[in-house]
Amino acid sequence: MHEESELVTGEAVVLDLRVAKLASRALAMLLDVIVQFALLLGAIFVLTLTVPGEDESLALTLILVFLVLILVGYPVLWETLSRGRSLGKLAVGLRVVRVDGGPIRFRHALTRGLAGFVIDFWALGVFGAVAVVVSLCSSDGRRVGDFLAGTLVIRDRVPESAGYPAIGMPPGLEGWAAQLDLTRLPDDLALASRQFLARFGQLAPEAAHALGWSLAQQVGNALGTPVPPGVPPWAFLAAVLAERRNRDHARAMRTYAAQVEAARGQVPAGFGAGVPGQPGYASAGYFGGGQAGFAGQLGQADHAGQAAQLGHAGQPGHGGQAGQPGHAGQPDSPASGAEPSPWSAGPAAAGSPAEGDAPTPPSGVPAPAVENPFAPPS
């Protein structure tokens, strides 16, 4: 069963901390004691090999020094370096924090370590009986060392979230949100608002109310508009984020459509038949409307008078203008009533490609490079 603390910060905000109770703390302590006992046995074994047997006073002194270092130095060192987690707490998923929710420092860890050695567990603690009684009497499961150091043990490991839920537009705020200037909303403030809405149901009512109004005022100040009267802060934030998401989605769709159009305009003309009304394709023939494919390049390099025939209708060849004869005096458009052909409008010239064959660029004229706008960056 997870319980929440009833601690209040200096800003009168109720902290939403999942405190660790006696069972989880006892398990973490048991694991730490096993590690300490193993270290103590290792130290005694080393002393028996290095200290002469006739010098009992030296051996006893060294044993006491190692005992204090292991029982006091072990938790102090680990909790200082890992910001509140010993090996046992790390395995169970606990962490020591200050009563205001901040990380502990060396002085907090030292106070807890000395109090644990003298009062809670070993010297006067009757092997942990004092710590158990005090923890059971405390609503937050704190022992004597926690009260002296001003600390609290909380659950640091929480279930992983599957992701932020989708935020919908609150009813009645669509028109109001559509008039907002969301370009002034900082990304970090939008992310904090999204995280608040994702955890809204898990917060204590007092914490949710205070944090919601604080975020709503910050967002309102950034946008230059106050919270509408009668609208709760969560609805205000949801409307802003939903409108921001809708605009980002619409902008992304427009960008994608522009990339598709650009990609179609870069495809070589002989790659497909015409699709009426689509840019990059002709309504009749192989070449895109307003674009000259390979045939337009052939028309620039063809000195036999068929450049105007191979290029797009109305586009000049190498030596002719639209409606004017080319080098060989061939007209630019087919005769009236004749079915338009992508290759020629008059008699086929010698060496011209047969109908149905793919156009081949002449030597010296490189084919246009086709760039894929959706390829990942190199």
Side-chain angles (χ1 to χ4, degrees), residues 265-362:
Q266 293 175 0
V267 173
F271 275 28
V275 180
Q278 295 292 335
Y281 297 89
S283 58
Y286 293 97
F287 309 111
Q291 299 289 339
F294 282 126
Q297 298 185 11
L298 290 175
Q300 296 178 5
D302 192 352
H303 295 279
Q306 296 183 5
Q309 301 172 12
L310 297 179
H312 186 275
Q315 299 293 331
H318 182 74
Q321 299 294 329
Q324 297 180 5
H327 285 300
Q330 299 292 340
D332 282 346
S333 59
S336 176
E339 182 179 357
S341 170
W343 299 113
S344 63
S352 61
E355 184 176 356
D357 294 339
T360 304

Side-chain angles (χ1 to χ4, degrees), residues 17-20 93-97 101 152-157:
L17 300 178
R18 302 173 60 190
V19 297
L94 307 181
R95 180 189 292 269
V96 182
V97 298
L152 177 70
V153 180
I154 64 172
R155 290 188 172 273
D156 189 41
R157 186 178 303 159

Side-chain angles (χ1 to χ4, degrees), residues 220-317:
N221 293 334
L223 299 180
T225 178
V227 181
V231 176
W234 65 265
F236 170 78
L237 296 175
V240 172
L241 294 181
E243 180 64 22
R244 189 173 190 258
R245 179 199 61 208
N246 295 338
R247 294 184 186 181
D248 291 342
H249 178 72
R251 188 182 304 110
M253 292 301 296
R254 289 194 299 267
T255 303
Y256 174 77
Q259 291 177 347
V260 170
E261 300 298 336
R264 288 176 174 174
Q266 293 175 0
V267 173
F271 275 28
V275 180
Q278 295 292 335
Y281 297 89
S283 58
Y286 293 97
F287 309 111
Q291 299 289 339
F294 282 126
Q297 298 185 11
L298 290 175
Q300 296 178 5
D302 192 352
H303 295 279
Q306 296 183 5
Q309 301 172 12
L310 297 179
H312 186 275
Q315 299 293 331

Side-chain angles (χ1 to χ4, degrees), residues 163-169 194 197 242 245:
Y164 296 125
I167 298 177
M169 176 67 69
R194 179 175 293 276
L197 294 177
R245 179 199 61 208

Side-chain angles (χ1 to χ4, degrees), residues 23-37 88 92:
S24 57
R25 297 189 61 175
L27 179 59
M29 181 63 188
L30 178 61
L31 296 177
D32 287 331
V33 169
I34 293 176
V35 175
Q36 291 173 322
F37 184 71
V92 180

Side-chain angles (χ1 to χ4, degrees), residues 61-248:
T61 302
L62 292 177
I63 289 176
L64 290 177
V65 170
F66 276 105
L67 181 64
V68 174
L69 288 178
I70 292 174
L71 295 182
V72 178
Y74 167 85
V76 173
L77 180 63
W78 273 99
E79 291 181 0
T80 301
L81 297 179
S82 62
R83 295 297 183 92
R85 291 184 296 180
S86 62
L87 288 179
K89 292 182 178 64
L90 183 62
V92 180
L94 307 181
R95 180 189 292 269
V96 182
V97 298
R98 302 196 306 262
V99 291
D100 59 355
I104 66 171
R105 301 185 181 276
F106 173 75
R107 64 178 183 272
H108 305 97
L110 182 60
T111 303
R112 295 184 77 257
L114 292 176
F117 178 78
V118 177
I119 303 176
D120 285 323
F121 300 109
W122 307 118
L124 303 177
V126 195
F127 298 101
V130 174
V132 171
V133 172
V134 175
S135 180
L136 289 176
C137 295
S138 172
S139 59
D140 295 327
R142 304 166 70 188
R143 59 179 176 89
V144 176
D146 292 318
F147 284 104
L148 295 178
T151 57
L152 177 70
V153 180
I154 64 172
R155 290 188 172 273
D156 189 41
R157 186 178 303 159
V158 296
E160 295 184 359
S161 175
Y164 296 125
I167 298 177
M169 176 67 69
L173 296 179
E174 298 87 351
W176 171 82
Q179 302 175 1
L180 296 177
D181 181 12
L182 301 181
T183 58
R184 297 184 294 176
L185 180 63
D187 292 337
D188 55 348
L189 186 55
L191 178 60
S193 302
R194 179 175 293 276
Q195 293 174 342
F196 164 74
L197 294 177
R199 299 183 61 238
F200 180 77
Q202 305 174 3
L203 298 175
E206 297 84 358
H209 180 77
L211 184 57
W213 274 112
S214 176
L215 289 173
Q217 291 176 357
Q218 295 180 43
V219 172
N221 293 334
L223 299 180
T225 178
V227 181
V231 176
W234 65 265
F236 170 78
L237 296 175
V240 172
L241 294 181
E243 180 64 22
R244 189 173 190 258
R245 179 199 61 208
N246 295 338
R247 294 184 186 181
D248 291 342

